[in-house]
Amino acid sequence: MNAIHHPSPVGPLKLVSEEGALVACEFTNGEKLIGKPQADAIIDQTRRELDAFFAGRLKKFTLKLNPRGTEFQLAVWKALQTIPFGKTWSYGELAKRIGKPKAMRAVGAANGQNRIAIIIPCHRVIGADGSLTGFGGGLERKQFLLALEQGEAPLL
């Protein structure tokens, strides 16, 4: 396992790779890495793609991912990756897309357990009334990411 902190407009991101795939892109909130920071090819690619995303030059990530979760969580995270850049879906719509139309709360819980933030775009899920609802990175970060995808946030 390799891990580093990477600076971004939404604060430092902890990038973790294992066996040639990204397993985490998390908001650090000031936590320190355990052990010596170490990059590899997948982390280097992640850094380049994140920098391009924040600069407005990348709309779709091409990284090899290895999210870890239950079968249900993996289905939710796979569906998240189909939300088009610059668009949002409600939790209800996401639940319908995975064939579980009544599982809105479970979808919300799975969304909150996503360890590959931004790249698996959990920030694109909003309340049925269009409101910005829960986001592990905080609503200010969610608002920034959505504005960035709408061309309304400052580019780097």
Side-chain angles (χ1 to χ4, degrees):
M1 178 171 73
N2 294 314
I4 62 142
H5 282 162
H6 182 67
S8 84
V10 291
L13 299 169
K14 178 182 175 185
L15 307 179
V16 182
S17 70
E18 206 169 278
E19 298 175 7
L22 191 71
V23 297
C25 175
E26 300 175 307
F27 302 104
T28 68
N29 298 320
E31 296 106 27
K32 296 192 186 283
L33 289 174
I34 297 172
K36 181 182 175 188
Q38 186 171 349
D40 59 17
I42 195 72
I43 287 178
D44 290 341
Q45 181 184 357
T46 304
R47 294 168 88 169
R48 286 190 304 274
E49 290 195 17
L50 283 168
D51 291 347
F53 171 80
F54 285 117
R57 297 187 315 268
L58 181 85
K59 294 183 179 181
K60 185 169 178 68
F61 291 94
T62 62
L63 300 158
K64 182 176 179 189
L65 306 177
N66 188 12
R68 299 197 176 137
T70 66
E71 186 177 325
F72 180 80
Q73 288 171 328
L74 292 171
V76 170
W77 301 335
K78 184 176 182 181
L80 285 171
Q81 293 174 75
T82 67
I83 302 173
F85 180 89
K87 303 291 183 190
T88 57
W89 289 356
S90 69
Y91 292 96
E93 184 170 352
L94 187 55
K96 287 177 194 169
R97 299 277 180 144
I98 65 164
K100 307 269 186 193
K102 295 183 181 186
M104 293 171 291
R105 287 185 186 205
V107 161
N111 204 38
Q113 294 299 310
N114 173 25
R115 291 193 61 213
I116 307 177
I118 303 169
I119 297 160
I120 296 180
C122 51
H123 61 276
R124 295 181 188 155
V125 182
I126 59 173
D129 63 358
S131 63
L132 296 186
T133 56
F135 183 61
L139 292 181
E140 285 182 6
R141 285 179 174 141
K142 182 172 188 163
Q143 188 172 29
F144 177 88
L145 291 167
L146 292 173
L148 177 73
E149 292 187 10
Q150 293 293 318
E152 299 170 1
L155 299 176
L156 299 179

